[in-house]
Amino acid sequence: MKVAIVHDWLVQYGGAERVVEDFLAMYPDATIYTLVYDKKRMPERFQHYHIVTTGMQKWPFATKLYKNFLIFMPKQFEALDLSSYDLVISSCSSCCKGVLTNVTTPHICYCHTPTRYVWDMYQQYLSHAGFLKKLFMPSMIHKMRLWDRVAADRVDYFVSNSYYIRKRIKKYYHRDAVTIYPGVKLNPKPALDKADDYYIIVSRFVYYKRIDLAIEACNKLQKRLVIIGSGDESKMLKKLAGPTIEFNGSLTDDEVQESFLHAKAFLFPGEEDFGSTPVEAQSAGVPVLAYGKGGALETVIGGKTGLFFEEQTVDSLVDCINKFEKDGVSYSRKEIQQYSQKFSQDNFHKNFMAYVDQCMKEWKEE
């Protein structure tokens, strides 16, 4: 079976890009199609994959400014020629679900989220935009909403990465979806019986991750916080940080796993679609203190493998940390690690391939 994997863009490595590699593990001869590809910012192994980019790749500074070209993305994806493929799988949180396929080719969209900045997070993105973006966004986003809704109709089968996202697909696209949790690279080392005295965050530095809340809470409590990651908000976050906050930059997977093993708890103040890092933390036996909304509600067991705070505020997170310091959680670190095994990559491969087989059978019968 000749398979095409379509992904929005390959300019940084995160959870969605791990999913792309999982698809490649299932279909090793597949070709990856994407808007733009920055080989300097992606792991070196991606240079050995068969990657086809859109015409935007040749635009000046496209790999850095691609988000500013949102209005041009639909035409770029629609121009991709996928006519020779037996199956198209899109890994989508933006526009790549809008690719055009033949009537004989099923398109399965693994949806990380309906496009955030077009739908329910539009106001947040607008409030943090610069002057020019605020000037042009309202009229542009209206056109993008119309296109995005039409693009969703081109998908034959939707798969959501969480039940939370399944509800959003139903609301914005009026489509049903099957939920298959993504596979997470679990920590191979056994959980430690006793942790060091620090909290940890592993994240890209973007606004909706709300790393600022964790920094201010740990400033207030004078708790040591180790932050691993990088991104656009780096300067702002470092200005917020007090003497107990430590920035370690971007580390290798092995270094991140080692840092998780010794952490007291993982702080997760953002609202995520699924959120692989809470699972990565739990796979090291580390409890998660998370904002009680979004995908975290499906990966963290309140009171057992972690605690939730109800408001996305510094005070609410401070109360959660204080409660954890006083009472902890009921599961031991080894029990937390055992619980995380349900989110393994092997389970994802097995469940997704079984669903593809089901879809292909239905497609042929129709």
Side-chain angles (χ1 to χ4, degrees), residues 106-123:
H107 174 186
I108 299 173
C109 176
Y110 191 83
C111 185
H112 303 286
T113 178
T115 314
R116 295 186 192 94
Y117 38 82
V118 169
W119 300 107
D120 54 339
M121 293 188 73
Y122 166 68
Q123 294 297 338

Side-chain angles (χ1 to χ4, degrees), residues 267-283:
L267 303 186
F268 193 64
E271 178 186 340
E272 284 281 7
D273 313 317
F274 169 75
S276 59
T277 47
V279 177
E280 290 176 19
Q282 290 172 104
S283 77

